[in-house]
Amino acid sequence: MKRLQKLFVTIGVMFAIMLTQIVPVSAAQTLTFDDLYMTLEISDDLIVLTPDTPKNDGRWAEAGIIQVDTKLKEFKDMGVKAMFYEKKSNTSVTMMVKDSSKTREIVNLINMTEAELQEYFDTLVGKESETYESTVEKYMHKQTPFFRLQIQSKDEVSPVSEVIYGTIMNGKSFAFDIYKEGSYIQDEEEGLARALVDKVSFTKILDASEIVQETEIGMKDFIGPILFILIIIVI
């Protein structure tokens, strides 16, 4: 009986030691962007700011943003859907979504051959510059190719750097952007952008005809209210 009690005590002590060695893992939450046919899984320790975040929300200050009006204007001008801030690395990643005649023409990068992808990537680098250098490479996502575009100044005294992970899906460009002044972007900081990209899921992949149809529907929704206002004014 005493031996059995000693065995239970020993097992209990070992179990307690194992518990102290368990590293807590941040819980995850899923953001849904219905209009983009996209979901994004993020950890709960990230601060998320969007164009709809109230100006008096405390999260702006937590992310180090004092001029909220200026930031919201920047969101609007740059097509920002969300900004993610990580306290432990003091890093912000901005998610931007835009569409143009070029992105609607391409539709999806997943449809491109390797040669076509490289040709498109080459257009992102631009001409050689005396002040900046840029490189681009393929970054493979579970559903579609992404590109990794790095731009940084050659001035080591006052360095400026930017890393963008981007793709084209459903006729829109998606970009996860890190921009930094005063020092070059470190791998730990860039890791936040990669982690976000890896957790992106596109819930629906459209073809060219579906994109044309959605564009036409969007135009009708936009023109309808304008025509109504014009009629009211005329009357």
Side-chain angles (χ1 to χ4, degrees):
M1 185 68 178
K2 289 183 178 180
R3 288 182 179 180
L4 188 59
Q5 287 178 336
K6 288 182 180 180
L7 178 61
F8 283 141
V9 170
T10 302
I11 293 173
V13 171
M14 292 177 63
F15 184 67
I17 292 172
M18 290 173 64
L19 285 176
T20 60
Q21 294 176 339
I22 294 175
V23 178
V25 178
S26 297
Q29 59 175 312
T30 300
L31 305 180
T32 301
F33 301 88
D34 290 327
D35 58 327
L36 304 176
Y37 303 112
M38 191 193 95
T39 62
L40 174 60
E41 186 179 304
I42 65 170
S43 61
D44 275 340
D45 58 354
L46 288 183
I47 293 174
V48 182
L49 298 167
T50 75
D52 297 323
T53 303
K55 295 180 182 180
N56 60 352
D57 195 303
R59 287 174 294 176
W60 293 108
E62 285 188 76
I65 298 169
I66 307 302
Q67 302 296 331
V68 178
D69 287 330
T70 301
K71 181 59 70 171
L72 285 172
K73 184 180 183 304
E74 180 184 309
F75 279 9
K76 182 179 180 181
D77 294 342
M78 298 179 64
V80 174
K81 289 291 185 179
M83 190 188 85
F84 307 93
Y85 176 74
E86 184 181 62
K87 285 185 177 181
K88 66 179 181 181
S89 62
N90 191 29
T91 304
S92 296
V93 176
T94 303
M95 187 185 92
M96 298 175 287
V97 180
K98 295 183 179 181
D99 69 332
S100 64
S101 58
K102 184 64 176 179
T103 59
R104 289 191 293 272
E105 176 189 340
I106 292 175
V107 183
N108 298 309
L109 291 190
I110 196 173
N111 297 328
M112 286 185 164
T113 64
E114 287 298 321
E116 290 171 334
L117 273 176
Q118 190 58 54
E119 183 179 351
Y120 171 67
F121 289 171
D122 290 342
T123 66
L124 302 175
V125 176
K127 298 179 181 180
E128 291 187 10
S129 169
E130 294 181 359
T131 55
Y132 288 88
E133 57 184 2
S134 56
T135 58
V136 64
E137 60 185 338
K138 182 179 178 181
Y139 182 80
M140 197 58 203
H141 176 265
K142 58 189 176 185
Q143 288 179 290
T144 180
F146 270 70
F147 60 81
R148 176 189 177 276
L149 176 63
Q150 178 175 296
I151 307 167
Q152 62 183 34
S153 65
K154 295 179 180 179
D155 181 4
E156 295 184 359
V157 178
S158 302
V160 177
S161 59
E162 184 173 18
V163 175
I164 303 168
Y165 285 81
T167 190
I168 295 176
M169 177 62 74
N170 296 333
K172 294 180 173 63
S173 66
F174 292 77
F176 289 82
D177 179 278
I178 303 178
Y179 178 81
K180 189 175 183 182
E181 296 180 353
S183 62
Y184 294 125
I185 295 168
Q186 302 301 308
D187 188 64
E188 179 187 4
E189 297 167 318
E190 186 179 336
L192 176 59
R194 285 195 300 268
L196 289 168
V197 169
D198 290 343
K199 292 298 183 179
V200 166
S201 294
F202 293 103
T203 57
K204 186 177 182 180
I205 299 178
L206 305 177
D207 58 30
S209 62
E210 290 174 306
I211 290 172
V212 170
Q213 186 178 7
E214 287 208 346
T215 303
E216 290 175 349
I217 292 172
M219 286 300 293
K220 288 178 182 177
D221 291 341
F222 175 72
I223 292 173
I226 294 177
L227 290 176
F228 178 75
I229 292 170
L230 289 175
I231 291 169
I232 295 295
I233 292 173
V234 172
I235 294 174

